[in-house]
Amino acid sequence: EVQLVQSGAEVKKPGESLKISCKGSGYSFTSYWIGWVRQMPGKGLEWMGIIYPGDSDTRYSPSFQGQVTISADKSISTAYLQWSSLKASDTAMYYCARNHDAFDIWGQGTMVTVSS
Amino acid sequence: EIVLTQSPGTLSLSPGERATLSCRASQSVSSSYLAWYQQKPGQAPRLLIYGASSRATGIPDRFSGSGSGTDFTLTISRLEPEDFAVYYCQQYGSTFGPGTKVDIK
């Protein structure tokens, strides 16, 4: 079964760092782009960026460039989304998704809560 | 950057009725790169339509997509109870529309 499994919910304080993960299985992880999507509480979907695990080629939305870092470790079929200094406004659900004819497979989401 | 606009914001319909959702782009979008997703509360989005008109695996044929250039449409021919949800369009590798909520009248 093709699936993406994301790491669990996180509760952090403003200024802390965080790295969440997305592990692919059931397919050739290095052959498909993986994207990250933010959904703030009660709001719509926002495309953050995308990475090709085969060579780590990465593209960011202008809205998220410099705010987050997307990476991947192809040896363990895992993509990452990280922050160096979280803000309260980073509170959201974050989804990873495989890009093949659009985002065809989605992770279950990781809820990140940033609160003092 | 292309901006996607969806209308209406909310569509109130009864089961069995036909739903027509619109997605309009600020610039021409290649039809090969327009997708539609469904999201239910507490769930991840699910791909319905890719390439503007191709149904994703396992998607019932009551869902259909059409359009080209700057105007795209998702049609649900007869609403089933499980179809009441939020629908998003997306240009591949880029922005999503703001969504259309289909709720029960």
Side-chain angles (χ1 to χ4, degrees), chain B residues 50-104:
Chain B
Y50 65 93
S53 60
S54 298
R55 274 187 301 278
T57 302
I59 301 303
D61 61 7
R62 63 180 180 273
F63 290 92
S64 63
S66 63
S68 64
T70 59
D71 290 298
F72 298 87
T73 300
L74 175 69
T75 301
I76 311 170
S77 58
R78 288 183 320 279
L79 282 164
E80 297 288 341
E82 62 268 29
D83 299 337
F84 292 93
V86 179
Y87 294 84
Y88 297 94
C89 59
Q90 186 212 11
Q91 181 195 13
Y92 289 13
S94 187
T95 184
F96 289 89
T100 290
K101 182 179 181 180
V102 178
D103 66 14
I104 299 177

Side-chain angles (χ1 to χ4, degrees), chain A residues 39 44 47 62 95 101-103 106-107, chain B residues 37 39 43-45 47 88 93-94:
Chain A
Q39 188 166 40
W47 187 86
Y95 294 102
D101 293 331
F103 283 151
W106 291 68
Chain B
Y37 302 87
Q39 188 180 32
Q43 295 185 18
L47 177 65
Y88 297 94
S94 187

Side-chain angles (χ1 to χ4, degrees), chain A residues 13-106:
Chain A
K13 292 183 175 4
E16 292 185 333
S17 63
L18 177 64
K19 191 174 189 177
I20 62 175
S21 66
C22 168
K23 183 174 176 61
S25 62
Y27 74 99
S28 175
F29 186 74
T30 54
S31 299
Y32 298 87
W33 293 79
I34 292 283
W36 287 94
V37 176
R38 182 175 80 174
Q39 188 166 40
M40 299 176 77
K43 302 299 184 183
L45 305 175
E46 299 175 89
W47 187 86
M48 301 177 72
I50 202 162
I51 187 166
Y52 189 74
D55 62 5
S56 292
D57 185 11
T58 308
R59 320 277 171 84
Y60 293 92
S61 161
S63 300
F64 292 92
Q65 178 84 47
Q67 307 304 308
V68 297
T69 300
I70 294 170
S71 61
D73 184 340
K74 61 185 179 182
S75 70
I76 54 171
S77 301
T78 301
Y80 301 97
L81 178 66
Q82 68 181 90
W83 296 260
S84 59
S85 181
L86 286 160
K87 302 185 283 287
S89 58
D90 292 317
T91 294
M93 180 72 80
Y94 293 88
Y95 294 102
C96 64
R98 185 180 80 164
N99 193 73
H100 173 59
D101 293 331
F103 283 151
D104 66 334
I105 302 293
W106 291 68

Side-chain angles (χ1 to χ4, degrees), chain B residues 20-35:
Chain B
T20 303
L21 287 67
S22 173
C23 175
R24 186 159 289 173
S26 60
Q27 305 171 44
S28 184
V29 173
S30 167
S31 296
S32 300
Y33 301 121
L34 195 286

